[in-house]
Amino acid sequence: MEHITLLLAIVVVTALVFDFTNGFHDTANAMATTISTGALKPKTAVAMSAVLNLIGAFLSVEVAKTISGGIVNENGLRTEVIFAALVGAILWNLLTWLVGLPSSSSHALFGGLIGAAVMSAGWSSINGGTVVTKVLLPAIAAPLVAGLAAMLATKLTYRINRNVTDPNQLKSTAKGYRAGQIASAGLVSLAHGTNDAQKTMGIITLALVTGGVLAPGSNPPMWVIVSAGVAIALGTYLGGWRIIRTMGKGLTDLQPPQGFAAQTSAATVILASSHLGFSLSTTQSCSGAVMGAGLGRKGGVVRWSTATRMFVAWGLTLPAAGLVGAGAEFLTKQGPWGIAVTAILLVGGSFAIWLASRRQPVDHTNVNDTADGEPQEIVTTAIAAVQPPPIGTHPTDLMTTIPAPAPAPDDTARPSATV
């Protein structure tokens, strides 16, 4: 600690700020479905998620080692590059939070790091094989695997309960699934801390290596693990209500069995990837699981316009954060004044985004309102119309009214026929 320079200290603090934004940006991953189905009250949900995020930060360092020694070459990398990368990641996180889109904080960090490193030392500073195998391929596979698993789990859940028709049994079953949701949400929170907190550990460790404090290939020191865990837990407790609304109500309408299936599937994928050192996006895994659960229930729908905007954000995250990171690195290369200007732009941009968010605030009191009042899509509404109703719906509860045709304008004036 005594060898940390002022610049290195600024980078460490900025990394913890990113970790904080990661926490409130990704709270929705664990708690959106639990909040939307009423299994937990909003404030209780985020408090529980924060504690488990903190615990999860201590469970592994495999992902941290992937970031600190895998994506970019440590030799010759300047500390300013790490600062520029964090600027790109933080601004992209805040921008997508403002519009309520669950983009990947992980890919924002990777994009910023790649863009800054390329601006500093060229493409040779990037380990392309690691980027492809441990970043790009998991980015494609994770939402697909989680979505397919959630869809199959949802179908199985409803098939198991297809003969349950007694109202009391239905209520007991719903309570059981809500309890299962709470447990699976806790598992997702634990997985999120295990995977995402490590990314900040990795970036701080990389900064310490570039500053000469640690030897290349070192594991994160304990103070780095503790500070990263606390930062992401605090961000989680703050609650990213805008993104929680999108994932809980904007993508599909979830019932407790679907929420349980989605969260269990996502947690399994995230924990498996953390064990293997794959730095996948927990956001993409959870979003894919939510969509899979929506498609797995007969009569369920997915709002594809919201999903499309989310897919676009996913595709833009790496290049957009990379461009901002490259621009920030161009400034930091100019010397101390460039670093100061970059810091001012980061603070000013963050403050402007926060001011914009105050125009239409979203918090725990209105998080379950329908996101943007978005109607269901024509295609998914049509599919829902021809599919059987969900299990547990009684025929007496269904009623279709066919309106009589309106009378012709001249019917009232037409005289009665006489014989």
Side-chain angles (χ1 to χ4, degrees), residues 8-319:
L8 193 54
I10 292 173
V11 171
V12 170
V13 171
T14 307
L16 294 176
V17 171
F18 165 77
D19 204 23
F20 179 81
T21 67
N22 189 353
F24 75 74
H25 193 280
D26 290 1
T27 308
N29 296 344
M31 292 300 169
T33 59
T34 305
I35 292 171
S36 68
T37 60
L40 281 176
K41 292 182 179 179
K43 295 295 286 184
T44 304
V46 296
M48 170 184 165
S49 184
V51 171
L52 290 171
N53 265 282
L54 178 60
I55 295 172
F58 293 89
L59 297 184
S60 173
V61 293
E62 291 302 318
V63 175
K65 290 191 291 186
T66 296
I67 294 173
S68 63
I71 293 179
V72 297
N73 296 321
E74 297 173 337
N75 296 328
L77 197 66
R78 300 182 307 119
T79 306
E80 292 89 336
V81 174
I82 312 300
F83 178 57
L86 291 167
V87 170
I90 290 171
L91 289 178
W92 182 255
N93 264 2
L94 292 176
L95 183 61
T96 50
W97 163 77
L98 176 64
V99 296
L101 286 178
S103 67
S104 171
S105 298
S106 307
H107 290 174
L109 179 61
F110 299 150
L113 184 59
I114 291 170
V118 170
M119 176 59 70
S120 175
W123 289 101
S124 61
S125 62
I126 307 300
N127 295 324
T130 302
V131 172
V132 171
T133 58
K134 293 203 171 185
V135 177
L136 296 181
L137 291 181
I140 297 172
L144 294 177
V145 172
L148 180 61
M151 184 174 67
L152 294 176
T154 300
K155 288 181 178 293
L156 177 63
T157 298
Y158 280 103
R159 180 175 293 275
I160 291 173
N161 294 304
R162 66 184 182 276
N163 295 323
V164 178
T165 58
D166 181 73
N168 292 327
Q169 288 182 316
L170 290 172
K171 289 181 180 179
S172 299
T173 302
K175 287 181 180 179
Y177 279 119
R178 285 192 175 94
Q181 266 195 283
I182 295 172
S184 60
L187 190 59
V188 173
S189 296
L190 196 69
H192 182 254
T194 304
N195 197 283
D196 277 34
Q198 286 188 60
K199 292 159 188 170
T200 300
M201 297 177 204
I203 206 74
I204 293 176
T205 303
L206 181 59
L208 295 175
V209 169
T210 62
V213 177
L214 294 177
S218 299
N219 286 337
M222 179 55 65
W223 69 267
V224 172
I225 297 174
V226 172
S227 58
V230 171
I232 199 170
L234 289 175
T236 301
Y237 181 71
L238 182 65
W241 304 112
R242 292 173 179 272
I243 300 175
I244 290 176
R245 174 189 282 187
T246 299
M247 285 190 67
K249 293 292 185 182
L251 279 175
T252 185
D253 295 318
L254 294 178
Q255 296 179 352
Q258 294 170 279
F260 174 70
Q263 289 172 321
T264 304
S265 302
T268 302
V269 171
I270 295 167
L271 287 172
S273 69
S274 297
H275 177 71
L276 296 173
F278 292 121
S279 187
L280 56 72
S281 166
T282 56
T283 299
Q284 292 180 358
S285 301
C286 293
S287 299
V290 168
M291 285 188 285
L295 294 173
R297 174 172 65 89
K298 291 183 178 180
V301 297
V302 172
R303 297 181 178 92
W304 290 110
S305 61
T306 299
T308 300
R309 291 200 303 271
M310 189 175 64
F311 295 151
V312 170
W314 290 358
L316 290 177
T317 296
L318 272 171

Side-chain angles (χ1 to χ4, degrees), residues 375-398:
Q376 294 178 351
E377 299 299 311
I378 295 175
V379 174
T380 51
T381 304
I383 293 173
V386 299
Q387 287 181 329
I391 298 299
T393 303
H394 296 283
T396 56
D397 296 333
L398 304 177

